[in-house]
Amino acid sequence: MRFDPNLLEEVTFLDIEASALENGYPIEIGWATVDVPGQTLKEVESFLIRPPAGWLERADSWSEASFRIHGITVEDLMADGISPEEVMDRLDTALAGQTLFSDSAKDQEWLDCLYREGASRERSLPFIRKDVAWVFERRDTDEMRVHAALKERGRAIRQHRAADDAREWAQLFLKSRSNLL
């Protein structure tokens, strides 16, 4: 069965920045929600995640390569981040029951880490994550490749941050929908 995003009232794109690709932990989460019938960007939200002591104590949990991409320091997380419990409360409130779309399977790993290791009580994900390709038609594949290439090029120019990346996917989705009108 083919997925039709036009049947949805909203489409939400998710992005997560991490301390390292391997052995890391989530440090920033962001999302952008599109009002599909209204063809508008409805909401963009993000926040830093203050890591619990257990995450900080893991060997090789911080990567200089990842830092160069996102520019977030441990000091930033400790000063401006919110606890994993608060992150989960906000996610549960804002996104429960939704299907979230992201451009990396790693985002699922970071969500699992957050809900498994960051919780003081047993919690489960209140939403489903799917690959961003689900919301794009086949004809958008070339545009997605161009977007990915520009995104890679842009990483050298700007910081790679969760809300910005989610917003980019939402804007690409809106552009692909407007091309159909």
Side-chain angles (χ1 to χ4, degrees):
M1 183 174 146
R2 196 168 142 238
F3 176 79
D4 185 356
N6 295 310
L7 299 177
L8 298 174
E9 291 293 315
E10 296 179 345
V11 174
T12 300
F13 296 90
L14 173 84
D15 191 66
I16 300 174
E17 300 304 325
S19 63
L21 284 179
E22 300 300 325
N23 302 317
Y25 51 85
I27 63 171
E28 182 183 41
I29 190 161
W31 67 86
T33 301
V34 171
D35 172 359
V36 176
Q39 290 294 293
T40 58
L41 185 60
K42 179 180 173 184
E43 172 187 32
V44 178
E45 180 73 49
S46 72
F47 34 85
L48 297 174
I49 303 167
R50 187 176 57 248
W55 291 1
L56 294 170
E57 294 166 359
R58 290 198 295 216
D60 301 323
S61 65
W62 193 264
S63 161
E64 285 301 313
S66 292
F67 167 74
R68 284 191 299 278
I69 292 170
H70 54 64
I72 301 167
T73 66
V74 173
E75 292 77 17
D76 294 335
L77 300 176
M78 300 312 284
D80 301 324
I82 60 175
S83 73
E85 284 290 337
E86 188 173 346
V87 171
M88 289 179 278
D89 289 344
R90 289 185 186 189
L91 290 171
D92 291 356
T93 299
L95 305 174
Q98 293 189 37
T99 299
L100 309 179
F101 300 94
S102 73
D103 63 353
S104 173
K106 280 290 196 182
D107 288 336
Q108 185 66 53
E109 290 180 35
W110 306 135
L111 286 169
D112 291 342
C113 174
L114 178 68
Y115 276 78
R116 183 183 61 249
E117 299 174 22
S120 62
R121 59 183 165 82
E122 188 172 321
R123 296 177 83 146
S124 58
L125 292 173
F127 43 76
I128 299 168
R129 189 210 69 85
K130 290 194 177 287
D131 190 272
V132 72
W134 277 79
V135 296
F136 289 92
E137 305 286 333
R138 286 183 185 263
R139 68 184 163 284
D140 295 323
T141 304
D142 289 336
E143 188 173 358
M144 286 177 64
R145 282 193 203 113
V146 169
H147 175 73
L150 289 172
K151 189 174 176 180
E152 282 300 315
R153 184 171 157 246
R155 285 182 179 169
I157 299 168
R158 70 160 180 88
Q159 297 288 298
H160 182 57
R161 298 296 297 265
D164 294 336
D165 292 346
R167 182 184 296 110
E168 283 180 12
W169 281 111
Q171 289 169 336
L172 182 62
F173 175 77
L174 286 169
K175 184 175 186 269
S176 74
R177 299 297 105 196
S178 69
N179 290 342
L180 298 176
L181 301 177

